[in-house]
């Protein structure tokens, strides 16, 4: 909502020294989100005056039409002589009154005006358009042509109200009343402690039998409908400058007098209105639900197929408007048109004014169903004051009579569904308990009365909620009103006191350690949205029967392309890698930890929990049963150089082994040593993919995968070549671990190192050989590391050589050479027995 400060002052007597910034601060204090204060006309400097066009000479020989004009500006130029100006616009004629800026003036944007030679003529100033003066769109995109009654030489800065301040307020859905000058003025008056001149306090005649006939068939969808008529409007009547300028400052485009007045009253009182050309309305106006398949062409020229839930305005022919959203083209107010035969102006002379109150939910659904967001729908779906309809209709009638030369019809139509006032009961000390501040009964009553409530009672307050505040439906809503008006900044800051002896759980500590170890290894954390779509899984080459296809689909996704919750972390990380690579970062290593969501198909519909007490254990268990599985994962992606080249030597590119090592590093934080085996798993290269396994209750369990991505995946997702990735399940690692990590025992005795090279068949996994060596070496083995893999003529066809470094150490003594050799021989014997290995050499 854009609020011109000059307009706001009509309803609240603000101090003359108050600026837009001052008012912004006050409104923020009472809970309104004032985003910006726009200073219109900042830097504008005259002379800027009204001029009258005396002559127009068409200049020939140029690519576009150019006119050389003489303009009478009175004494504004100091000589009284006509001002010579070159202009390219063509929407004005001799005798028209225009806005002229003279040499020495400065227009918005620090555009300095000076006499200059152009198109072979010397131009002394400029004839101005609305855009050049920062006035906004007036629908013509041409020169401003003023009504003839303004005198030549009049100061146009004051006439056009070019200097002002406009507050741009982001109105939250519960504050629909602030989508009007009336609502913002009420908040301003409260913030300053000043009286409010309510523009809705008008003398409105009572309804009578001579009003325009209206039939409301759906009293739930429309509980109030006011109809008034005005006849004898002058087709040539134009909106006055003050009216068009207020509309422009509020962000609306002037159209015609009748339309401008309805928009003006909507901005002023918050009540959307609609004016029908009475000559095109056939019979009584009706309000009903649409028949499925009915069609209506709205004012924007779009033919719409109506839904059975749409609320429509009708006449004898059928729908003539989408109620509360947009009117129909078949009853649109006609603009003034000159009859080519008689030369007379023709246009709408008689209008029917609609001021109604519609159901907020119905209007919101209709607007979204037809993807039609209008100013009227924006207000109705947030809640409009039903008691303001009569005043808004009267205000519209008064302005049409005053500015359009019309005559108000004697008939007044009011169709009203009876409704009583909304009343709440609240303990007088309830706001005190909510805020933790002692306000006292007098303060609570005073603040609620400032909101517009009627308050009675002592310890128990009976509060009648004003009609313009549909959001006040609970005692806590009333408490919030008291608290915000007293100032959120005055609430004490009290930190919660956690129970002693409680800290992070072991699961939380593991997740933090994982993040730290990956960051220490050179990975950068990337936090991605948890949304994805099936097309990404297609790009990753994931089969239809893969569990990662069992996604949880959102009922109201942010994007139609990403309607599902992620089942793997890799797509989000690859998207981040692709964006950064495209922006010039070619050496990338990213990681993310977080949940994935796996639907099992056994989830039950969630039950609605109560809010007035703590849910029972059964209710919480029922809610948990409705949720999908949410295992916690860690994942990395990397590409480019893993080690940079420099004076110290050559660098090294990131390879699949780095992704596996990232998995090992994560597992070590859980106290788990991974078992690594070759695997085939999308989206990885079948020959460069590793299965990461851990022992859980003595059995090998898959906890993740790592490796280089498949070339088809890299091509489909436009990724760098040889991109690698790893993903691992932290919950499974936690189950595989032995609980809290224990600090290692540091032995003071020396280590005995033994190397062994074994020849095995090419198809024997190195992990099997390693497991056999570890089991055979016994308790003296401290660590085991594969440091060389060799194939060639020396090993024989179909064979490979695996070289391991074994470290032996005893905790209580120095090992002898015989003990270390015996342990080594036992390890080799176990490998020979279980894998068919042969000791090389």
């Amino acid at each position: 909502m854009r609020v011109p400060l000059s307009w706001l002052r009509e309803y609240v007597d603000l101090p003359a020294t108050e600026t837009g910034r001052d008012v912004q601060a006050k409104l923020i204090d009472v809970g309104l989100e004032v985003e910006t204060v726009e200073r219109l006309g900042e830097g504008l400097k005259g002379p800027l005056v009204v001029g009258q066009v005396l002559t127009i000479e068409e200049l020939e020989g140029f690519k576009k039409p150019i006119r050389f004009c003489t303009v009478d500006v009175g004494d504004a130029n100091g000589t009284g002589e006509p001002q010579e100006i070159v202009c390219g616009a063509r929407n004005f004629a001799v005798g028209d009154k225009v806005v002229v800026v003279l040499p020495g003036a400065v227009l918005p944007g620090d555009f300095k005006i000076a006499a200059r030679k152009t198109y072979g003529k010397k131009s002394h100033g400029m004839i101005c358009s609305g855009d050049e003066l920062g006035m906004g769109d007036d629908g013509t995109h041409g020169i401003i042509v003023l009504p003839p009654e303004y005198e030549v030489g009049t100061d146009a800065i004051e006439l056009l109200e070019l200097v002002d301040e406009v507050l741009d307020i982001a109105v939250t859905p519960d504050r629909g009343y602030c989508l009007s000058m009336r609502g913002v003025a009420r908040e301003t008056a409260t913030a300053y402690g000043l009286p409010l001149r309510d523009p809705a306090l008008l003398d409105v005649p009572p309804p009578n039998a001579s009003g325009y006939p209206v039939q409301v068939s759906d009293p739930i969808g429309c509980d109030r409908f006011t109809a008034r008529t005005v006849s004898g409007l002058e087709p040539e009547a134009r909106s006055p400058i003050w009216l068009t300028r207020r509309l422009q400052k509020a962000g609306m485009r002037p159209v015609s007098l009748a339309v401008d007045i309805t928009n003006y009253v909507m901005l002023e009182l918050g009540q959307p209105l609609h004016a029908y050309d009475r000559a095109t309305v056939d019979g009584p106006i009706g309000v009903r639900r649409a028949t499925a398949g009915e069609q209506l062409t709205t004012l924007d020229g779009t033919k719409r197929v109506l839904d059975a839930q749409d609320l429509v305005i009708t006449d004898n022919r059928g729908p003539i408007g989408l109620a509360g959203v947009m009117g129909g083209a078949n009853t649109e107010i006609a603009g003034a048109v000159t009859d080519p035969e008689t030369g007379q102006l023709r246009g709408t002379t008689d209008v029917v004014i609609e001021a109604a109150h519609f159901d907020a939910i119905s209007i919101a659904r209709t607007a979204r169903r037809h993807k039609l967001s209008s100013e009227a729908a924006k207000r109705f779906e947030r809640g409009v004051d039903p008691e303001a309809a009569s005043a808004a209709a009267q205000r519209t009638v008064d302005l049409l009579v005053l500015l359009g030369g019309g005559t108000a019809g004697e008939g007044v139509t009011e169709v009203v569904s009876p409704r009583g006032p909304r009343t709440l009961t609240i303990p007088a000390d309830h706001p005190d308990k909510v805020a933790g501040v002692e306000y006292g009964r007098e303060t609570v009553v005073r603040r609620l009365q400032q909101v517009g409530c009627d308050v009675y009672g002592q310890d128990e307050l009976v509060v009648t909620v004003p009609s313009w505040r549909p959001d006040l439906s609970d005692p806590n809503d009333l408490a919030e009103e008291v608290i915000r008006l007293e100032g959120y900044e005055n609430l004490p800051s009290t930190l919660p006191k956690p129970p002693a002896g409680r800290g992070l759980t072991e699961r939380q500590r593991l997740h933090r350690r994982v993040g730290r170890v990956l960051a220490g290894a050179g990975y950068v954390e990337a936090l991605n949205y948890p949304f994805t779509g099936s097309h990404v899984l297609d790009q990753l080459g994931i089969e239809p029967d893969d569990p990662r296809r069992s996604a949880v689909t959102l009922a109201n996704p942010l994007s139609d392309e990403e309607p599902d919750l992620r089942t793997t972390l890799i797509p989000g990380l690859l998207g981040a890698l692709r964006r950064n690579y495209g922006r010039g970062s070619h050496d990338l290593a990213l990681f993310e930890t977080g949940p994935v969501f796996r639907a099992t198909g056994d989830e039950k519909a969630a039950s609605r929990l109560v809010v007035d007490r703590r849910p029972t254990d059964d209710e919480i268990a029922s809610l948990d049963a409705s949720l999908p599985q949410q295992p916690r994962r860690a994942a990395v992606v990397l590409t480019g150089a893993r080690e940079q080249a420099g004076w110290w030597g050559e660098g090294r590119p990131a390879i699949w082994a780095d992704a596996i090592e990232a998995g090992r590093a994560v597992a070590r934080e859980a106290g788990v040593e991974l078992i690594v085996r070759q695997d085939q798993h999308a989206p990885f290269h079948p020959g460069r993919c590793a299965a990461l396994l851990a022992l859980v209750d003595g059995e090998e369990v898959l906890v993740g995968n790592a490796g280089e991505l498949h070339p088809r995946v890299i091509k489909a997702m436009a990724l760098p070549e040889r991109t690698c990735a790893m993903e691992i399940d932290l919950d499974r690692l936690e189950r595989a671990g032995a609980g809290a990590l224990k600090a290692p025992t540091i032995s003071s005795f020396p280590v005995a190192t033994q190397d062994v090279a074994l020849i095995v068949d090419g198809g024997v996994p190195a992990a099997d050989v390693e497991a056999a060596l570890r089991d055979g070496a016994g308790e003296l083995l401290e660590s085991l590391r594969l440091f060389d893999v060799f194939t060639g003529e020396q090993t024989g066809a179909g064979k490979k050589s695996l070289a391991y470094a074994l470290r032996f150490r005893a905790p209580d003594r120095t090992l002898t050479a015989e003990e270390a050799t015996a342990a080594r021989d036992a390890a080799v014997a176990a490998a020979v027995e279980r894998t068919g290995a042969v000791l090389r050499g």
Side-chain angles (χ1 to χ4, degrees), residues 230-233 276-279 333 347-352:
V230 178
S231 58
L233 291 174
Y276 301 93
D277 187 336
R278 188 171 183 176
I333 299 295
T348 298
T349 58
D350 300 337
V351 297
V352 180

Side-chain angles (χ1 to χ4, degrees), residues 199-215:
L201 295 180
L202 300 174
D203 291 330
V204 179
N208 52 55
S210 59
Y212 196 91
V214 173
Q215 300 171 352

